[in-house]
Amino acid sequence: DVKVTQSSRYLVKRTGEKVFLECVQDMDHENMFWYRQDPGLGLRLIYFSYDVKMKEKGDIPEGYSVSREKKERFSLILESASTNQTSMYLCASTGAGGQPQHFGDGTRLSIL
Amino acid sequence: GQNIDQPTEMTATEGAIVQINCTYQTSGFNGLFWYQQHAGEAPTFLSYNVLDGLEEKGRFSSFLSRSKGYSYLLLKELQMKDSASYLCAVRGDFSGNTPLVFGKGTRLSVIA
């Protein structure tokens, strides 16, 4: 079974802090994705990566950056956290071809 | 543009059958996915259609009509544990590194 692991299930940070969300997958997948999910808005893509050191902006990249130094790890960075970044963050990965995306358990992030 | 529509909420009775519809308008098409998401948890993969027709998997079936831009998820013999959100998602190409476009989800409530 594919395993996508996010470092924290719940996280509380303060406005202005730099926040790191980590995601690791164990299936040698090329593609990794970061989404946020908010009530009424569904899943929105922040960034994705199709190879080590490669990154592409999604629909809502403002206020975020990412890092992919190793194939199995994809990090989401909130450069200076703001209250409107309080959300559920979901990481996903997939291999080449028509495979489904597999999601981690999610990180519920609260910015106070 | 990319647009995926599905009903916001549905209610059905335990033991009954329910059909959740999804219509899509995307710039490309190479597969439609259905995911189940219980409250506070990550989405889990249910089914994948790339050709027209019905795919059956136990109590769940998914149908696709590419010419109509339409899919449905059919849940039979509903159980209380089927209460969840159901997400429809479309892939634009076959490479795997194109992110899925997700609908906002249909929240299904199963009542006794």
Side-chain angles (χ1 to χ4, degrees), chain A residues 4-95:
Chain A
V4 180
T5 303
Q6 294 184 229
S7 52
S8 306
R9 287 298 303 272
Y10 300 94
L11 204 55
V12 180
K13 296 291 182 180
R14 296 203 173 275
T15 304
E17 280 193 72
K18 191 169 186 176
V19 181
F20 293 85
L21 302 183
E22 306 287 346
C23 176
V24 177
Q25 49 93 4
D26 67 356
M27 285 302 292
D28 202 36
H29 282 167
E30 292 84 1
N31 309 292
M32 297 187 74
F33 309 85
W34 274 107
Y35 296 88
R36 62 177 285 178
Q37 186 174 34
D38 302 286
L41 297 178
L43 279 164
R44 293 182 291 167
L45 181 67
I46 304 171
Y47 268 97
F48 65 104
S49 168
Y50 54 87
D51 201 352
V52 175
K53 297 192 185 295
M54 304 302 289
K55 60 184 179 183
E56 295 282 347
K57 292 181 180 179
D59 299 318
I60 51 164
E62 297 79 17
Y64 303 94
S65 63
V66 289
S67 172
R68 188 146 182 223
E69 296 296 318
K70 293 185 178 181
K71 191 174 186 180
E72 67 270 19
R73 185 180 297 270
F74 192 34
S75 303
L76 179 69
I77 304 153
L78 286 67
E79 298 290 343
S80 177
S82 63
T83 54
N84 63 11
Q85 293 177 309
T86 291
S87 186
M88 169 72 100
Y89 289 87
L90 288 158
C91 174
S93 75
T94 187

Side-chain angles (χ1 to χ4, degrees), chain B residues 16-17 24 26 28 45 56 59 61-62 64 78 83 103:
Chain B
I17 298 173
Y24 62 89
T26 55
F45 168 70
E56 297 189 76
R59 292 189 300 115
S61 303
S62 57
L64 175 67
L78 279 173
S83 292

Side-chain angles (χ1 to χ4, degrees), chain B residues 9-97:
Chain B
E9 292 187 43
M10 298 182 72
T11 301
T13 305
E14 193 176 15
I17 298 173
V18 70
Q19 178 174 310
I20 302 173
N21 296 324
C22 171
T23 58
Y24 62 89
Q25 295 166 310
T26 55
S27 53
F29 179 84
N30 215 314
L32 186 142
F33 298 80
W34 283 96
Y35 284 82
Q36 181 190 59
Q37 185 177 26
H38 285 101
E41 297 182 11
T44 55
F45 168 70
L46 284 179
S47 70
Y48 170 61
N49 295 71
V50 65
L51 300 176
D52 290 351
L54 190 68
E55 294 281 342
E56 297 189 76
K57 200 185 281 187
R59 292 189 300 115
F60 293 7
S61 303
S62 57
F63 172 83
L64 175 67
S65 169
R66 289 172 295 170
S67 62
K68 295 182 179 177
Y70 168 69
S71 173
Y72 66 73
L73 181 69
L74 194 72
L75 291 75
K76 303 176 188 175
E77 302 169 12
L78 279 173
Q79 302 175 10
M80 299 300 282
K81 67 178 182 180
D82 297 329
S83 292
S85 287
Y86 291 86
L87 310 179
C88 174
V90 172
R91 170 167 287 144
D93 74 52
F94 200 65
S95 69
N97 62 9

